Amino acid sequence: MAWGRMAAKRKRGALPAGKAKRARSAASTGEAAPEGGPRERSVAPQENGIPAQEYSIPPPVSQGKWKNKERVLIFSSRGINFRTRHLMQDLRTLMPHSKADTKMDRKDQLFVINEVCEMKNCNKCIFFEAKKKQDLYMWFSNTPQGPSAKFLVQNVHTLAELKMTGNCLRGSRPLLSFDPIFDQEPHYALLKELFIQIFSTPQYHPKSQPFVDHVFTFTVTDERIWFRNYQIIEEDASLVEIGPRFVLNLIKIFQGSFGGPTLYENPHYQSPNMHRRLVRLSVAAKFREKQQVKEVQMTKKKGTKVLVEEDPTEVVFETPAEEKPVEIQLVKPESKPIVKDKKKLRKIQRKKQKKLFRTEGSA
């Protein structure tokens, strides 16, 4: 209110204090002030009584007017993990025209985000919605009129996680590179315009730098949008990845902001719950198949063996062996003494030999 009263007291057509002083100094020297404010003028010293030509120094490029007032609100719901938090922080650092806010409660409806954006004076929004502490959804919205798009985020890699060699100036303005398919299909054309208004840094933004040293690429592969951030090297215009990187799987495009009639629904989209269910069913099918194979093997082992009839041609190449006479022993064989010591065995043999010699001599 104080500023309004001060502005009301000013006379119409009056210049501010700084510009009025410059205008007075210009009037005293006999120079007319230009429309965009006074420019610095310098006069070279006279040589031989002849005044030199006057020249003016143009203002720097950064003194342009900030006309594009795009502001993007980047925040999330409760229940996000550390990877999502780091991704959200990376997007805030890459987009100097972004604003942050506290996490939104899960019980609140998504229409409340429009009021939050109005309070923060933002006309674009990137909202991270976490479900089941494992699924991440990202909303891109033009508040409060719309349209808005909902994506499933996959394969998230942040700046801190990737060991990339690329680097860029903080606050510099990026180039936006889009796949040619964005101009062929209507729903991709709508997303292209939404991405341009959200990710492009406005010219002459107070927090931006007047340099272009990196590029955001949006590529469509496998019915998904792949986001990459590359550094532009000045020497040979080659690209080096900076990060972060993530994949956006489109779910729906709504006419309003965070709701309303559905403009497009992705027929190739598969929910994470359905994907996990199919994975469980495939694992269960493999287990059942193994069990069935085991049961078949057990029935084969327990089954009665089929007797095969004798083949008469098997004995064609057999030669009959000679029959040996059967010998029947009538006398019990002598038991051999079990002697472990070899010396005792030798003594026993000597005694036997002596007995034989005695019997022969007596005969």
Side-chain angles (χ1 to χ4, degrees):
M1 294 298 291
W3 288 102
R5 292 171 186 171
M6 291 175 64
K9 289 180 180 179
R10 286 181 184 172
K11 296 180 180 179
R12 293 184 179 178
L15 293 174
K19 291 187 178 180
K21 290 181 181 178
R22 292 176 187 173
R24 289 171 191 168
S25 61
S28 62
T29 55
E31 299 173 357
E35 294 181 359
R39 295 184 179 181
E40 296 181 3
R41 305 184 69 183
S42 59
V43 181
Q46 296 183 1
E47 295 180 0
N48 299 326
I50 301 173
Q53 295 181 354
E54 298 179 358
Y55 61 91
S56 61
I57 301 174
V61 181
S62 60
Q63 283 188 355
K65 291 184 179 180
W66 176 31
K67 297 179 180 179
N68 185 9
K69 302 291 184 177
E70 295 286 348
R71 297 182 183 88
V72 183
L73 181 64
I74 302 177
F75 71 117
S76 68
S77 65
R78 297 193 180 276
I80 61 173
N81 53 8
F82 70 97
R83 195 184 302 275
T84 307
R85 187 174 67 253
H86 290 182
L87 174 63
M88 186 169 57
Q89 190 62 33
D90 293 343
L91 290 179
R92 287 172 182 169
T93 55
L94 291 174
M95 300 165 64
H97 60 293
S98 64
K99 288 188 176 182
D101 194 18
T102 57
K103 295 179 182 179
M104 196 181 74
D105 197 358
R106 294 179 182 177
K107 297 179 181 179
D108 295 337
Q109 298 294 329
L110 294 178
F111 295 102
V112 181
I113 301 176
N114 297 326
E115 300 178 4
V116 177
C117 292
E118 187 178 356
M119 292 168 58
K120 288 284 184 177
N121 196 17
C122 296
N123 51 5
K124 298 291 186 296
C125 180
I126 299 178
F127 179 65
F128 293 88
E129 185 180 7
K131 290 185 178 180
K132 295 187 177 181
K133 295 185 178 180
Q134 55 184 347
D135 301 331
L136 177 63
Y137 298 92
M138 188 184 296
W139 287 82
F140 294 92
S141 176
N142 178 28
T143 57
Q145 293 87 10
S148 59
K150 184 180 181 181
F151 296 89
L152 173 68
V153 186
Q154 298 172 333
N155 301 335
V156 177
H157 299 280
T158 59
L159 282 170
E161 179 183 352
L162 294 177
K163 303 298 181 182
M164 297 295 181
T165 57
N167 194 6
C168 65
L169 185 67
R170 185 186 181 97
S172 60
R173 302 178 64 221
L175 294 174
L176 299 183
S177 174
F178 290 93
D179 197 273
I181 199 173
F182 277 93
D183 298 327
Q184 298 174 4
E185 299 186 13
H187 64 280
Y188 280 129
L190 177 61
L191 292 177
K192 178 181 178 181
E193 185 63 29
L194 190 62
F195 290 154
I196 288 174
Q197 295 184 15
I198 289 178
F199 286 98
S200 61
T201 303
Q203 194 175 12
Y204 304 122
H205 192 276
K207 294 183 180 179
S208 66
Q209 299 290 340
F211 305 104
V212 178
D213 58 353
H214 64 288
V215 54
F216 292 159
T217 62
F218 298 89
T219 310
V220 178
T221 305
D222 193 19
E223 304 296 336
R224 291 170 175 82
I225 300 174
W226 301 66
F227 175 86
R228 295 290 184 272
N229 181 22
Y230 295 99
Q231 176 193 2
I232 304 173
I233 299 178
E234 296 181 0
E235 287 78 9
D236 53 353
S238 60
L239 300 178
V240 180
E241 188 171 358
I242 304 171
R245 56 164 66 172
F246 52 87
V247 180
L248 298 175
N249 190 0
L250 179 62
I251 302 174
K252 284 183 180 181
I253 300 177
F254 300 96
Q255 184 176 355
S257 178
F258 296 97
T262 302
L263 298 179
Y264 176 79
E265 185 174 359
N266 187 8
H268 306 282
Y269 171 71
Q270 187 182 63
S271 65
N273 294 332
M274 181 61 68
H275 178 70
R276 287 189 287 266
R277 180 175 175 272
L278 293 177
V279 170
R280 289 195 299 268
L281 289 176
S282 63
V283 173
K286 289 181 181 179
F287 180 75
R288 283 197 300 269
E289 186 178 354
K290 288 182 181 179
Q291 291 294 329
Q292 290 175 359
V293 171
K294 287 183 180 180
E295 290 177 0
V296 170
Q297 291 177 353
M298 292 297 292
T299 52
K300 286 183 178 179
K301 289 181 180 179
K302 293 181 180 179
T304 56
K305 295 181 180 180
V306 180
L307 296 176
V308 182
E309 297 180 356
E310 294 183 359
D311 190 4
T313 59
E314 288 182 355
V315 295
V316 173
F317 298 100
E318 289 184 359
T319 56
E322 295 180 358
E323 295 182 359
K324 294 181 179 180
V326 180
E327 294 182 357
I328 300 173
Q329 291 183 357
L330 301 175
V331 182
K332 182 180 178 182
E334 296 181 357
S335 60
K336 296 180 180 180
I338 300 171
V339 181
K340 295 182 180 180
D341 194 356
K342 291 183 178 180
K343 293 182 179 180
K344 291 182 179 180
L345 181 61
R346 290 173 185 173
K347 289 180 181 179
I348 293 171
Q349 290 178 354
R350 288 174 186 172
K351 287 181 180 179
K352 288 182 179 180
Q353 288 177 358
K354 287 180 181 180
K355 286 181 179 179
L356 288 173
F357 287 139
R358 288 175 186 172
T359 53
E360 290 176 357
S362 62

